[in-house]
Amino acid sequence: MSAVRTQWASPGCLHSPRFSTRSVKIAVCVKFPATIKTLLLKQSFALTRLLNPPHSLSMSFSSSSCMDGSYAEIVVVRHGETEWNADGRIQGHLDVALNEAGKQQAALVADRLSKEPKISAVYSSDLKRALVTAETIAAKCGGLEVITDPDLRERNLGELQGLVFREAAKLSPKAHKAFLSHRTDQDIPGGGESLDHLFQRCTSSLQRIGNKHKGERVVVVSHGGVIRSLYKRACPNGKSGGKVLNTSVNIFHLCDEEWTIKSWGDVSHLQQTGYLESGFGGDKTSG
């Protein structure tokens, strides 16, 4: 008999079975044909989802070619909520503080991570909504020092920054049109970045962190737009990762240039607390 380890992940995306602290073991006879195994896995998934439904997630199975433990497990967390999130106002590079709900969310995710396998390092965007979230986690996980990296900042959205999103089309039509463009090389008027530039800088940052921390578990606190770019790097042909909620936990395994996702969009630490409702951002309108 063999065991299949399962973990919530986004559709179309691969993940590694290691560090499986919340996995479910399903006995599967190795003599079964592949079609029978697939059926059993699908039935098991349905039962597991019924007993412990995720927050709008689905599951996929994969294995990684990097099986000797020489990879980094990177726990990527979105910052806590801000007043601008709650108001639907675009932040981008503007330095907005956490609101009270965001501080509570940060405390809850910090408490959760402190009870999981050891964290070796904490990295963060240098914008204070991410940095304060990271500092809360670092203090709870052994008093670690937070390492800041501007490459983990949210996308610079130029003229749109500071505007309420629903009013942006009227107040800054050219920037709004550029923002909604399907061209990934489209800059935003007013010094804003293209999606290609955002992708390059944030994936390069995570790759550097992964190369430095092989065999370790580290936390990276960043922003919705950044995390969506990281998802795209790990799952270039997968479906959309959906909305990235405040303080959601997204676990990546980096083995050299190979990226896989172990879990995605986990906000179980916010269940039953009154802080699950997320403000604006984390999706295609992230900012």
Side-chain angles (χ1 to χ4, degrees):
M1 303 294 283
S2 65
V4 176
R5 294 179 179 264
T6 69
Q7 180 71 31
W8 302 118
S10 185
C13 183
L14 306 182
H15 73 276
S16 166
R18 297 177 295 279
F19 285 98
S20 187
T21 58
R22 288 193 176 91
S23 61
V24 178
K25 293 184 178 180
I26 308 163
V28 178
C29 177
V30 295
K31 296 182 180 180
F32 286 169
T35 54
I36 301 298
K37 289 183 181 180
T38 301
L39 179 60
L40 288 172
L41 291 174
K42 288 181 178 179
Q43 290 174 338
S44 173
F45 163 57
L47 178 59
T48 304
R49 187 182 180 91
L50 178 64
L51 295 175
N52 186 26
H55 186 80
S56 302
L57 300 178
S58 60
M59 180 172 64
S60 64
F61 301 90
S62 79
S63 60
S64 169
S65 61
C66 186
M67 299 298 291
D68 60 359
S70 59
Y71 61 92
E73 177 161 287
I74 304 180
V75 182
V76 180
V77 178
R78 186 185 174 205
H79 62 79
E81 186 183 274
T82 70
E83 285 301 327
W84 284 26
N85 285 152
D87 292 342
R89 194 174 295 275
I90 299 172
Q91 297 172 119
H93 277 199
L94 299 183
D95 210 4
V96 184
L98 297 180
N99 61 14
E100 288 305 312
K103 293 175 184 177
Q104 291 294 327
Q105 290 171 336
L108 289 164
V109 73
D111 184 65
R112 168 195 172 155
L113 294 174
S114 72
K115 298 172 182 176
E116 294 183 353
K118 179 184 176 182
I119 301 297
S120 299
V122 178
Y123 290 80
S124 177
S125 156
D126 60 346
L127 297 176
K128 59 189 173 186
R129 58 189 184 272
L131 181 56
V132 171
T133 303
E135 288 173 342
T136 304
I137 293 169
K140 192 72 174 181
C141 295
L144 298 169
E145 179 181 354
V146 176
I147 304 165
T148 59
D149 185 350
D151 284 343
L152 294 170
R153 281 187 176 193
E154 181 59 281
R155 182 184 181 188
N156 186 326
L157 292 169
E159 293 178 3
L160 296 176
Q161 295 179 163
L163 301 181
V164 174
F165 182 74
R166 63 181 176 272
E167 300 173 355
K170 178 177 65 176
L171 297 177
S172 188
K174 290 184 179 180
H176 183 261
K177 181 179 179 180
F179 178 65
L180 297 181
S181 172
H182 294 295
R183 287 179 48 191
T184 59
D185 63 348
Q186 176 67 63
D187 293 332
I188 307 294
E193 293 177 280
S194 68
L195 287 170
D196 286 344
H197 188 270
L198 171 66
F199 180 91
Q200 179 60 38
R201 69 168 167 84
C202 69
T203 58
S204 295
S205 175
L206 204 73
Q207 186 67 64
R208 291 193 300 269
I209 293 169
N211 293 342
K212 184 176 179 180
H213 292 281
K214 288 184 179 180
E216 298 178 329
R217 192 169 195 254
V218 302
V219 169
V220 169
V221 182
S222 193
H223 307 263
V226 168
I227 297 171
R228 286 170 60 83
S229 289
L230 301 180
Y231 174 90
K232 184 178 178 181
R233 168 65 175 79
C235 304
N237 300 315
K239 297 179 182 178
S240 168
K243 190 165 186 175
V244 182
L245 300 179
N246 291 113
T247 69
S248 60
V249 172
N250 310 279
I251 303 179
F252 292 75
H253 284 179
L254 271 62
C255 176
D256 296 325
E257 296 295 319
E258 178 186 350
W259 291 31
T260 54
I261 293 179
K262 178 186 174 186
S263 67
W264 181 257
D266 187 348
V267 288
S268 58
H269 51 283
L270 301 182
Q271 300 287 351
Q272 310 303 321
T273 65
Y275 294 105
L276 179 59
E277 291 299 322
S278 175
F280 173 77
D283 57 10
K284 65 181 180 181
T285 63
S286 183

